[in-house]
Amino acid sequence: MTSIGNKAFSGCTSLISVTISDSVTTIGSYAFYNCTKISSLELGDGITSIGSGAFSGCAGIKGDLVIPDSVTSIGSTAFENCTGIDGTLTLSSNLTIIPTYAFQNCRNITGELVIPDKVTTIDDYSFRNCMKITSIVFGESVQTVGSYMFAYSNSRYTNKAIKEITFKGTKVPNGYFLSYINTSLEKVYVLAESYSDFVNAFASYVNNGKI
């Protein structure tokens, strides 16, 4: 088997464990949509594409979520409403875009979120309501960040968990995303050569020496 088709197991509420073999390269849209009792998910190292809504609503998945480095694209809502994931999220180093709603409502993902260096665009609502992420590292190539990337709907859109942000790139990303996390920020780290650019861009959001 090299692919799992669209809606292949959608709504199969008896599934409790899913292991995708290394021979599988493509997981279709909504392939495991609303398989609510899956508690264990292992993604094979041969996967290159995960379709829209592929694991949306799989609220029973526990532990860490690791998206292997073979993955080059994920669709919108791919892991939306996976509320049971209670460990860290590791993204593929070969992603270039994190699409809208990709991890929306994954409210128990914890710890540091590292955006890989090849990612150029993070769309709106991609991590909306992920209110246990405490720090973010933006990779070297990030150019655009959706304004509502980290918005939290139950607190007037402001995510109050994020304490620290690191920018690895030299260019200030487009977007007003800081306006939805600035009340919780304690530290923002930028490269020395880009210090002035970041201060000028974010001065109205980050104060008291946080940059």
Side-chain angles (χ1 to χ4, degrees):
M1 179 186 294
T2 59
S3 65
I4 298 173
N6 296 342
K7 300 182 179 180
F9 300 98
S10 178
C12 291
T13 55
S14 294
L15 284 174
I16 59 173
S17 179
V18 173
T19 300
I20 310 295
S21 71
D22 291 347
S23 65
V24 172
T25 60
T26 304
I27 301 174
S29 297
Y30 303 100
F32 295 91
Y33 176 73
N34 269 355
C35 293
T36 55
K37 292 185 180 178
I38 295 175
S39 59
S40 174
L41 173 64
E42 294 185 29
L43 300 173
D45 290 331
I47 299 169
T48 59
S49 175
I50 299 174
S52 298
F55 296 96
S56 178
C58 293
I61 298 172
K62 300 290 185 183
D64 299 334
L65 175 61
V66 178
I67 299 177
D69 288 341
S70 57
V71 176
T72 58
S73 68
I74 59 175
S76 61
T77 72
F79 293 91
E80 181 185 37
N81 296 325
C82 290
T83 55
I85 299 171
D86 54 4
T88 59
L89 169 63
T90 301
L91 297 170
S92 165
S93 63
N94 287 303
L95 289 174
T96 58
I97 296 173
I98 300 176
T100 186
Y101 302 115
F103 299 95
Q104 179 179 231
N105 294 329
C106 292
R107 60 185 72 248
N108 289 305
I109 289 176
T110 62
E112 182 175 75
L113 173 65
V114 177
I115 305 298
D117 285 339
K118 291 183 180 180
V119 170
T120 61
T121 302
I122 306 169
D123 284 336
D124 270 344
Y125 302 108
S126 51
F127 295 94
R128 183 171 180 248
N129 288 335
C130 295
M131 64 274 214
K132 291 187 178 180
I133 292 173
T134 55
S135 63
I136 310 160
V137 177
F138 286 101
E140 297 175 353
S141 302
V142 174
Q143 299 173 10
T144 302
V145 179
S147 297
Y148 294 93
M149 173 188 178
F150 292 107
Y152 176 34
S153 61
N154 290 332
S155 187
R156 295 185 180 179
Y157 302 107
T158 300
N159 188 317
K160 296 181 179 180
I162 297 169
K163 306 296 184 186
E164 184 175 298
I165 294 179
T166 300
F167 293 94
K168 293 173 63 180
T170 58
K171 294 183 179 180
V172 179
N174 297 322
Y176 297 97
F177 59 97
L178 274 187
S179 61
Y180 296 100
I181 58 178
N182 69 300
T183 60
S184 62
L185 276 178
E186 295 176 357
K187 294 290 180 182
V188 177
Y189 297 96
V190 302
L191 297 176
E193 67 240 54
S194 305
Y195 179 85
S196 296
D197 291 339
F198 278 87
V199 169
N200 291 336
F202 298 144
S204 61
Y205 303 120
V206 184
N207 301 303
N208 301 320
K210 292 178 182 177
I211 293 186

